[in-house]
Amino acid sequence: MDFSDIYQRMKFEAYELSEEERSQLTDYLKSPGSAYRLESNAAILVFCYSSEPMSENVTLVRKFLAKDAVDYSRSAAVTGLYRVWKLGATADIDDLLSFLALSLDESRHDTSLAAIGCAFLLMHRLNDRRLSTALMRLLETLHDEVRRENDFVVSLFIHACCAAFDNWAQRNGQRRTHFDTIEDALPVYWDRPKYLLESIN
């Protein structure tokens, strides 16, 4: 199965999986080596968009959060669990907090990008102050590291600021935007309490 092709078709054509495709997809995700393959990224997203978050489905996707899973596939699991299925139990918040704490690990770059976006989303949806505190700490840590002109950290800092603004804009009915320069990111950083729960009394 070409999981990437099916994912694109689901995004743009309202494509629905056949029973045979669903069976093949589930068998693939359950296979022992799937956590170590790049193509699992698309397979996980197809599974999450075409399935309900029943306990057995959540358990299957959580397999890809493992420490030794391929980063690209782990990021899809984060996206599927917390953006597509919008899980927000205490254990889910704990997982996101652990991912945020590892954001400076370059080997986890894709997971960090996904976790930051999902953390902002759930912070606003659940009014979760633990996520707000962790995101504030992360923004400040990234800003300190940006001064060392580390390209990896700069891109992560810009992404975090963009995610902060985007989720705030969605919540407040404002115009969403995307930016990819440090000059655009810094105003968000300087006004960071506005985009977190610290600005709420």
Side-chain angles (χ1 to χ4, degrees), residues 130-143:
R130 286 201 302 158
L131 285 173
S132 179
T133 299
L135 287 165
M136 174 69 86
R137 187 180 305 121
L138 176 62
L139 283 169
E140 292 173 348
T141 298
L142 290 173
H143 180 258

Side-chain angles (χ1 to χ4, degrees), residues 92-108:
D92 300 306
I93 303 304
D94 289 342
D95 280 344
L96 276 177
L97 290 171
S98 69
F99 298 147
L100 293 177
L102 296 170
S103 291
L104 292 182
D105 182 344
E106 292 193 40
S107 70
R108 299 173 61 90

